Amino acid sequence: MTVHFIGAGPGAPDLITVRGLKLIQSCPVCLYAGSLVPPEMVAEVPKGARVVDTSSLTLDEIIAEFERADAEGKDVARVHSGDPSIYGAVAEQMRRLDALGIDYDVTPGVPAFAAAAAALKKELTVPEVCQTIILTRTSMKSSAMPDGEDLATLGKSGATLVIHLSIRNLARIETELTPLYGTDCPVIVAYRVGWPDEQFIHGTLADIASKVKASGLSRSAMIFVGRGLVADTFRDSALYHKDHSHTLRSRSE
């Protein structure tokens, strides 16, 4: 018996990996985070499969489901949104499974920030403008940030920031990043990427808070901050330049 942690991607049912879908189609037990994973994502479970929406369950209740499946010798598709490695709340489940001696594996998924960049038709690593992306969040009720991971520290890099789980902290984001990025620094708020009600709000550090307030958005959004979001005068990448050679292509004469 194995628990398969599966990254379902940002929300669109056709953005799950082939491996992830095959596991869902084969497992007689499926647990999914219904608040973030649409029911369509798990619609192809086998006939008669036990399907559990874990959005209202505690960790102990989820582990009890794993133990029940283990006792019955049934594999479990444990479906999470995005990619399990990023704010996936899987580490504590794996720790419990290790203690119980229950086998598990992980299938990656399309992370929401990558799906947002695709929908926006943006490359986040623009030559000589931005070559670093920092995925982070701000301190909220659920948990504090470790020392040294505050926005004022991370922002000193000038990197493109992708701030998760922080839509209600826009005032703090403006306060901490404006001295580092400037009031006119581009900001994009990406709401429910991959869902039918997907929405993007474009602004700057100076006005994004008021724009988001006017929109009524209060959850399920990422905040992109950085000059590379609107860069259009960057040089071409060396990768395809005629004067650049590598092992598969000689430089043009």
Side-chain angles (χ1 to χ4, degrees):
M1 177 271 183
T2 301
V3 175
H4 302 284
F5 290 97
I6 302 167
D14 60 349
L15 277 181
I16 193 170
T17 65
V18 173
R19 182 189 300 177
L21 179 58
K22 286 183 176 179
L23 286 170
I24 291 172
Q25 292 170 333
S26 66
C27 288
V29 179
C30 178
L31 277 61
Y32 75 106
S35 58
L36 298 170
V37 176
E40 294 83 1
M41 192 69 74
V42 297
E44 295 194 37
V45 295
K47 184 177 180 180
R50 175 172 169 77
V51 180
V52 180
D53 180 353
T54 61
S55 56
S56 64
L57 301 186
T58 65
L59 177 60
D60 287 341
E61 291 169 330
I62 292 169
I63 299 303
E65 290 288 346
F66 293 156
E67 291 182 288
R68 172 180 172 177
D70 182 51
E72 296 173 351
K74 296 179 178 179
D75 286 351
V76 177
R78 176 60 172 124
V79 185
H80 282 262
S81 64
D83 180 84
S85 69
I86 304 173
Y87 307 116
V90 298
E92 59 264 41
Q93 296 175 67
M94 294 176 182
R95 181 169 58 190
R96 295 284 194 96
L97 292 174
D98 285 335
L100 292 168
I102 296 176
D103 190 34
Y104 61 87
D105 58 29
V106 182
T107 296
V110 177
F113 83 91
L120 289 163
K121 301 177 183 177
K122 299 287 185 183
E123 180 177 350
L124 298 180
T125 51
V126 180
E128 297 183 352
V129 177
C130 178
Q131 293 290 287
T132 302
I133 304 162
I134 296 177
L135 309 179
T136 188
R137 55 181 284 270
T138 58
S139 181
M140 298 288 286
K141 248 187 344 183
S142 56
S143 59
M145 293 295 288
D147 290 342
E149 293 190 16
D150 56 283
L151 290 181
T153 299
L154 298 177
K156 291 178 182 178
S157 66
T160 295
L161 302 179
V162 183
I163 308 170
H164 294 68
L165 308 171
S166 301
I167 191 67
R168 295 190 297 277
N169 270 354
L170 280 170
R172 185 196 306 179
I173 291 170
E174 176 186 349
T175 298
E176 295 191 19
L177 293 183
T178 294
L180 300 167
Y181 287 76
T183 57
D184 63 339
C185 181
V187 179
I188 301 174
V189 171
Y191 171 73
R192 282 174 52 100
V193 178
W195 291 69
D197 56 348
E198 170 185 281
Q199 186 177 346
F200 296 96
I201 299 176
H202 298 253
T204 65
L205 280 172
D207 63 16
I208 194 64
S210 60
K211 288 184 175 182
V212 169
K213 183 178 180 180
S215 74
L217 302 184
S218 61
R219 61 185 295 272
S220 302
M222 292 172 293
I223 304 156
F224 291 73
V225 182
R227 297 285 173 183
L229 297 174
V230 296
D232 59 6
T233 58
F234 55 90
R235 71 165 180 80
D236 291 344
S237 168
L239 180 61
Y240 299 113
H241 196 280
K242 62 183 178 63
D243 293 327
H244 178 68
S245 61
H246 51 71
T247 55
L248 299 178
R249 189 185 71 228
S250 300
R251 186 170 66 178
S252 301
E253 297 298 334

